[in-house]
Each structure stands twice: as structure tokens, then as C-alpha cells.
Amino acid sequence: MIKGEHSPNADRRAELLALAGELRPELHRYCSRLMGSVIEGEDVVQDALAKAFIALDGLSETPPLRAWLFRVAHNRALDLLRSKAVRASKPIEAAQNVIDEANPDPLEGLMRQEAVRTAVSRFAELPILQRSVLILKDILDEPLADIALLLDLTVDSVKAHLARGRARLREINGKASQFPEIKPPSAAVARYVALFNQRDWDGLRALLAHDVKLNQSTHPVRVGSADVGMFFSIYAKIDGVWLAPAWLEGREVIAVFENRLDAKPSYFMWLEWRGDEITFIRDHKYVRYVMADAELTFAPDALDIGGSAF
């Protein structure tokens, strides 16, 4: 290419980058329910966008990017689900009591509301195709024809999966406990939270393994204790941030309140350990849409760990 000449691939990449920024929350709503986890859902989104950028250069023609991104994310989620040996979808029956998009039934709205209120983790109990169709229709309000195209189904098959998925979801919600288990924080996480809330940045840096990694989704991964240590220097410049140990989807996480008096956390982070050393930090500061569907539980007095730092 002649110097100064504009590359068609550069235009496609710029368009994909802009669209990806707009679609991330919507992709996450889909992938998190498909995976049954807001944490794994964000992993899928991140992996899918990385794959999409690589694959785009190999395409002779630019596809409709929104539909293509959903397909890439869908396929990535299925790869992970298959690797976890999630049960296959049951054979579908003939469509019965299926929806009519031209003449919506009031019951339609009630079923969609139930899907929106359902905890993300419960979607994992549905067979994969029922899960996909239900999310696309009742959470994202995609047209039946578009769902059929994405999932390589007929519209009647989509309707049948939707009817079966809705019925199954009602059963799941009817049996689910309304009271999440409350567990105390581990000693390691409680120590991290206390040091942070006391603004003991050197104490936190001392916990980092030499090969520690920091992932902040939309930023390059930091590697090594010196580079990751800068993470705390950034937080040292921000007033009011307060941490609290919490649990999410059976995983111990750390809720981040931008003000200690806030009713709800703004985002969360989670850590991996090797003995007493931190080997991995995942900070969701820059993808706060993950919090929209996150159901965190706190142990009594969890918000008071670290005492008064102000």
C-alpha cells in the first residue's frame, strides 16, 4: 500500500471498535445468562471481541457487524459450555402456544418480566438452545427472524424453544431459594480489604507475587509486581473508595464503593492467591455494566472491615 493511503481494514477495525464499545453491555447481558455467571460472561465478551478483531482482517467482505459480533460471542460461549460438559438440549416438540409478534398477548409481557428478574445463575439450568432463545427474545427483545438466523434454526423452532424455555424457567424460579447463603470472608481477603481501607499501599504491594497479573478488561494486562503495584498508586489518588468482602456466584469477590455511604457498590474485583501471595487481580472498574446483573451477598459487619480511614 502506498504511504499515506488509507487501509480498508483500518476503516473496518475503527467501525468494529466503535460498535464493540456500544454493544459490550448488551453482549454481556446475553453471555452472562448463557454462561450462568456475570463473571464468566465478561470473560466471554472479552475473548469474543479479541477473536473478532483478529478474524475481521481475514474476511473478504464486511459482514453486518452487530449480528456477526453476537455470533462470535455465541460461538465462544458454546465452546466454553461444551468444554464444561453442559448437557445438550432435548429434542424440541412441535410449536404450541407460540407467540405472535404482530399481536402481542399481555401474558407475553409478564413472561418477559419474569426472565428479566430471574437470577443470572438460574439460566444455566436450561438446555443451551432454550437458554439462547429465551435470552435473545425475553432479555434483549430480538426479532424471531434474527434469532433464527443467529442460531441457524427455523422461526417455528425458535418459537418452540421459547415456549419450552419459559415453562422450564417458571419451574426453576418456583423451586429456587429466595435467601442466599451468607458466608464470612476468608482471612486473606479480609486482610486485603483492611489494608486497602487503611490506605496501606505498601502493605498491599507486599502481598503481590513477583509474577502477578492485573486484568482491567478494556486495558492492556499488567504483569509483574512493579507494574501491578502502580494499580494502588492510582487508587491512592482517589478519595472515598471503600472496599468490602462479598460473595458472588460462589466466588469470593471484593465490592468497591466509590463512597462508603453509597447504598450499592459501583463495581467489584476478585483475586487469586498462591499461598499468601496475590497472583491475579481482576478489576471491573471499566466494565461496570457487569454490576447490573450481579447479586452480591455480604456477611454481617463486612462493610466495617478496616475501620475509619477518613
Side-chain angles (χ1 to χ4, degrees), residues 29-290:
R29 293 185 79 192
Y30 178 63
C31 293
S32 62
R33 287 167 173 82
L34 203 56
M35 300 301 299
S37 162
V38 297
I39 293 174
E40 292 185 20
E42 177 57 23
D43 289 340
V44 172
V45 171
Q46 193 168 337
D47 287 351
L49 292 179
K51 287 179 178 294
F53 276 103
I54 294 172
L56 189 64
D57 287 343
L59 299 177
S60 57
E61 296 182 3
T62 304
L65 289 179
R66 185 181 187 280
W68 184 65
L69 279 177
F70 264 94
R71 181 174 290 277
V72 172
H74 174 81
N75 290 339
R76 177 56 183 153
L78 290 190
D79 287 343
L80 293 174
L81 289 169
R82 290 189 189 103
S83 71
K84 295 167 75 172
V86 173
R87 68 181 184 276
S89 174
K90 297 178 182 177
I92 63 172
E93 297 170 353
Q96 296 178 358
N97 301 320
V98 295
I99 63 173
D100 180 356
E101 288 182 304
N103 300 288
D105 187 315
L107 184 59
E108 246 335 270
L110 294 177
M111 288 188 286
R112 290 196 62 200
Q113 290 173 23
E114 180 173 14
V116 170
R117 291 193 301 265
T118 296
V120 167
S121 60
R122 294 181 197 167
F123 283 85
E125 298 183 47
L126 293 171
I128 293 173
L129 271 179
Q130 289 181 20
R131 195 184 318 173
S132 298
V133 169
L134 190 66
I135 299 165
L136 289 165
K137 185 59 191 171
D138 285 355
I139 304 296
L140 300 178
D141 197 21
E142 294 291 314
L144 294 176
D146 291 356
I147 297 173
L149 185 62
L150 172 63
L151 301 179
D152 196 23
L153 299 171
T154 65
V155 170
D156 279 348
S157 293
V158 169
K159 292 177 179 180
H161 280 298
L162 183 61
R164 289 168 63 89
R166 284 172 169 172
R168 177 63 184 137
L169 194 64
R170 285 195 297 274
E171 293 176 8
I172 293 167
N173 285 337
K175 297 176 182 178
S177 169
Q178 301 301 312
F179 303 100
E181 181 183 2
I182 297 176
K183 294 186 281 188
S186 65
V189 166
R191 182 185 179 195
Y192 180 95
V193 167
L195 290 171
F196 190 103
N197 290 343
Q198 293 163 7
R199 287 0 189 204
D200 186 350
W201 310 117
D202 288 337
L204 287 169
R205 292 187 183 97
L207 296 178
L208 299 176
H210 73 279
D211 56 349
V212 63
K213 294 181 181 179
L214 168 66
N215 187 319
Q216 292 182 295
S217 292
T218 60
H219 287 58
V221 175
R222 292 179 181 266
V223 181
S225 56
D227 197 15
V228 175
M230 296 298 294
F231 175 68
F232 303 118
S233 301
I234 294 170
Y235 273 107
K237 299 175 183 178
I238 305 173
D239 293 330
V241 177
W242 189 262
L243 303 190
W247 292 88
L248 172 64
E249 301 168 354
R251 183 196 297 265
E252 191 170 22
V253 300
I254 297 171
V256 182
F257 293 80
E258 294 193 306
N259 186 304
R260 191 177 180 181
L261 300 179
D262 289 344
K264 296 181 178 180
S266 298
Y267 55 98
F268 65 91
M269 61 180 73
W270 52 272
L271 314 175
E272 292 181 4
W273 300 80
R274 184 172 59 228
D276 294 329
E277 293 185 324
I278 299 169
T279 58
F280 184 80
I281 301 174
R282 180 68 177 269
D283 181 27
H284 288 82
K285 180 178 181 178
Y286 300 106
V287 287
R288 300 185 184 205
Y289 53 78
V290 176

